[in-house]
Amino acid sequence: MATADRTRSFMKDVKRVIIKVGTAVVTRQDGRLALGRLGALCEQVKELNTLGYEVIMVTSGAVGVGRQRLKYRKLVNSSFADLQKPQMELDGKACAAVGQSGLMALYDMLFTQLDVSSSQLLVTDSDFENPNFRERLCETVESLLDLKVVPVFNENDAISTRKAPYEDSSGIFWDNDSLAGLLAIELKADLLVLLSDVDGLYSGPPSEPQSKLIHTYIKEKHHNEITFGDKSRVGRGGMTAKVKAAFVASNSGTPVVITSGFASQSIVRVLQGEKIGTLFHKDASSWEPSKDVSAREMAVSARECSRRLQNLSSDERKKILLDVADALEANEDLIRAENEADVVAAQDAGYEKSLVARLTLKPGKIPSLAKSIRTLANMEDPINQILKRTEVAEDLVLEKTSCPLGVLLIVFESRPDALVQIASLAIRSGNGLLLKGGKEAMRSNTILHKVITDALPDNIGKKLIGLVTSRDEIADLLKLDDVIDLVIPRGSNKLVSQIKASTKIPVLGHADGVCHVYVDKSADMDIAKRIVMDAKIDYPAACNAMETLLVHKDLIKSPGLDDILLSLKTEVAIYGGPIAHELLSIPKADSFHHEYSSLACTVEFVDDVQSAIDHIHLYGSGHTDCIITTDSKVAETFLRQVDSAAVFHNASTRFSDGARFGLGAEVGISTGRIHARGPVGVEGLLTTRWIMRGIGQVVNGDKDVAYTHKNLPLE
Amino acid sequence: MATADRTRSFMKDVKRVIIKVGTAVVTRQDGRLALGRLGALCEQVKELNTLGYEVIMVTSGAVGVGRQRLKYRKLVNSSFADLQKPQMELDGKACAAVGQSGLMALYDMLFTQLDVSSSQLLVTDSDFENPNFRERLCETVESLLDLKVVPVFNENDAISTRKAPYEDSSGIFWDNDSLAGLLAIELKADLLVLLSDVDGLYSGPPSEPQSKLIHTYIKEKHHNEITFGDKSRVGRGGMTAKVKAAFVASNSGTPVVITSGFASQSIVRVLQGEKIGTLFHKDASSWEPSKDVSAREMAVSARECSRRLQNLSSDERKKILLDVADALEANEDLIRAENEADVVAAQDAGYEKSLVARLTLKPGKIPSLAKSIRTLANMEDPINQILKRTEVAEDLVLEKTSCPLGVLLIVFESRPDALVQIASLAIRSGNGLLLKGGKEAMRSNTILHKVITDALPDNIGKKLIGLVTSRDEIADLLKLDDVIDLVIPRGSNKLVSQIKASTKIPVLGHADGVCHVYVDKSADMDIAKRIVMDAKIDYPAACNAMETLLVHKDLIKSPGLDDILLSLKTEVAIYGGPIAHELLSIPKADSFHHEYSSLACTVEFVDDVQSAIDHIHLYGSGHTDCIITTDSKVAETFLRQVDSAAVFHNASTRFSDGARFGLGAEVGISTGRIHARGPVGVEGLLTTRWIMRGIGQVVNGDKDVAYTHKNLPLE
């Protein structure tokens, strides 16, 4: 089990939670109350109350309310002469005292609107010196919580005997952060949430890009790493005060999360176990540090390992693949046992049959995977190839060479064999890899990952291939655009669409495959029938299966077309566009942009090849489209103009596939236009580097160099 | 002037604004008040009030407050037996009547916190039948606004004689939307803002992806296009009621914007002229429709034109470029006059000298641009090239061909010559183009765009190249990832960074160029001196200039190094890493990852070539790095391991440039690893298509086809 599970798994047992809302959260930059945030906060408290949590609040903000009131009061009391004088800044403590009742009235009003009862509890430092007070306070709070009333705490500034400045660590508490920490212990809270104006504790000032959010604070690891920025712009606390309070509370057994009071629903999300903010937990140091590896750290390690991998000779990389193949075969029994356990669990959990089928490593699968890895091992080394050589000037030679992309993230569903294929492709192409598989294949993926990485030599390092098993949501991985170079989703259209919609990392793949077959009036109708049937029926769920059959209008009611439709209808549900629906008396298709992925298709008539092309541009997905014709001029028009990744003449759309194209191992099929398009082989995992060798040439305003720009042979 | 300027330019004259807040905005899904949104709304009203606007509100939401109160009342009045019975749903009208005072008290309290006075105005339909009432109402509102009090209107449900259902268009008003429309006219508002739970009026149901937000409603254009979805989930109005009210008010002269009440600061942004929401304006129909072309429409048109361009013969595309070159020369006087006007304006506005220099088209620039276009015209056609031919099986031939990417967006600053270069590259490579230039070069860009597009033949269409001149923010353009294939920023590092951070469209370029020169112990120190000086001094602001000089530790205090440092110091400010700072007594560098872009650089000592490589990986930007050495083994280690776009041996980093590399026209220099890397020529604007020609082959489970996968010559 990875730590992320462990570090936040206690959240499901949290019942009593203290929420501390600081001045920076409830106050705007201009000193006025941030009513929008305050309202949203009360809505969250209402939600937690409804969900059965016991919510206790510690709030600041009285200063903002009080300043407002005092200003008005001064104005009312002023003579005209007074108003001429420069206005003195109002004393913060006076403001706080005056504002207390106003703030509480505001909370009361907001909560009342939400059907929540709240109560005010004003305390001073000295109160806590009295043990009777502590006992009484606990009883009172218990009673309130039993009645589902939200206690709202604040320091009783109006009657506090202490003088400003408040920073005075000799007291029992000295600001609302330390009050919250104290209450967490006194009231035996299960969690203390300290709301901040930043997302949590960073390794440095949050505004600097190299500062990273710390998800789980570990004293040994982070104590010397953190540099604090300036204090918060408002309020007494700032991050230092929060961290201090977090230490106190978490050491006494109440875990603490520092998180943003600006982000939507942040408290609810923390309680749902989402890995936002910074967690302080007394056991964090004992959690195995190796288990707290973040996806970011995994990506950085994978890149380091990949640089060493790239630096090996081609034969050394080949040997690694052969070792991996041997290791898979040697561990076949172990792998199949783990896979069997996944399969049984999936069946017990009532998963769909098709998922269980994809999950299962059938007998013979491991040897066949090993065989394909050996084929890959023997293929020409794709990296460090010289793609272009140019003599730039005398004794100045430029080479364009192939090299790995860097770090790939593969998100795959069910199929554990995908892990093996992708890992071996990554090794062959010198890339680092992060794997994120479905939880239904957890045991299979874990053993496969272990067998493969155990076969990696020490001079490369096992971290070349990271298996992300934590509860890190895919969404978090997809944010790592600075350390991951390419995402390859292997799974449903929905998975691909979701990934594309939520990342800035380039995605190699296709969301949908709305492939067309256009039968021209000049078509050989036997060929047309054969191809239409194959394109739809050979594997209807494939992305390269036909979804729409376009037919030249001259073929309406022709015996050839009737024959095709008759054959189709025996196996396929057909739907018509507006014209076909009328003429063929078939049900109307809802939309032309529709991927059935099953034994169903749309049929429509078009005027000519140009209309077919326009239709494909309007409704297609740019995957694979095909024309059936004997007229080579019409064929060339179609081949030239259809702007899709693959365009075929008299051949089934089902040929659109890396293996059938002869690309060897297939990375995926891309409908994107950048980097790689259509079926993509290992070249989709490569980029280039420019290498130049000279003898001391300089540019010097381009005055000295005689550029020749001569192409040289590649050797 | 483009329309966006015209359609929203009146905003700067708006003083009196009516804001209508519907039930869907102030109420949550569960029927309770959305206090967060309500608070944020009041904060916006405060801001507008401070900015001097006269704000009038029309609000719903009483039902939510009233239901809450009535529920409580019923509970208090209930006997135990009553509570056993199923609870009846409370009557909406009763709730509204009861809730009115509570809602107003809430507004009053929120506004009081913000230092704003508000007043309640309850009106009924029948009140408006009395002309005296209307007059009196106007006077009252004027007095309130003079005192900076915010009038808050609502229908006086409690005493209204009308019965539910309210939908009754015979009345003067029949819901709060129509009340707002009526008040806009009566109170002579300059703007009516109708807040909705969606972003504005869409061409169809907002949840469907093909529905597009309408920025400016034009009756002739949109009347038949729009299909309304279901009514809003709560409240009486829904979008139909809003549009009705918008028609009434805008026809009477008060422009109306329907915009989101959920989005942050939406009212303030509307008043700042930002193009959010849907504008209704009585003059909209007379605005030249061609001027209201959105960037999205421009991108779609550019793609259509590019498909036609791609379909021309190579000679035809060549002729277009020659025509463009001729047209530029023929219009040189006109172009220089417009450019002159931009330059004068920029000087008058006190722009920086360097900006004015970049803005200026110097004498001879136009002929030189024309010459480079003619060179481009004569280069080998980059598209429709066959890159690979494979015999997949007998009579089944697969070709990989080059083709245009599709639609490019170029964002450039100052330099009008960039427009010409990029436009000619786009034509040569068959791409569509959107150009977004700086406003300081507006006149130059407009004339250059006109001259170039006028030279395009009618069968292609002028819309191949769109000049985005509206006030559309770059941020809006960068959202069009479904219709734009590649963004190429031409300008400062800041521009590139900002663009990269804010779009999912692939970006070709580089944010920073922290280039290193490493001088090994085996270096020829004369070569080292020459290259170090050139790399830093030839053009210090260039991205390929040296920022960090790494030196092997054995060279410390050697005469060769002393000589280099002495020469450097005469022209360059040098800063040291921790070691060099100590040993050389030079100021300490703040960070190793720093691009000076000026006559300054960092110096540091490293242990050996491996330390140099590690340093470059840790602190570099992957742009261009160079080793100076006479030891070929050390050189190869460096060339092989440094993971940057360009890696040089004994040659100045300044050679890292498309022209010097012999790539012809340069698109940019990419530090990205996807698609293109390093200096990028026209191939960065290309993608590939797979074309397959068969004689009727089908896949049929791969049982029939004998795959040969034989490479064929490219012809």
Side-chain angles (χ1 to χ4, degrees), chain B residues 493-526:
Chain B
N493 296 3
K494 202 179 142 207
L495 176 79
V496 181
S497 302
Q498 282 174 346
I499 287 178
K500 284 196 174 191
S502 50
T503 187
K504 286 200 293 172
I505 311 173
V507 179
L508 195 154
H510 59 277
D512 40 21
V514 182
C515 299
H516 299 75
V517 174
Y518 165 60
V519 181
D520 192 58
K521 63 175 175 182
S522 65
D524 175 324
M525 295 306 277
D526 287 337

Side-chain angles (χ1 to χ4, degrees), chain A residues 291-305:
Chain A
K291 301 240 178 192
D292 194 33
V293 174
S294 70
R296 170 177 297 280
E297 288 164 318
M298 287 173 80
V300 170
S301 301
R303 189 179 306 274
E304 283 162 14
C305 296

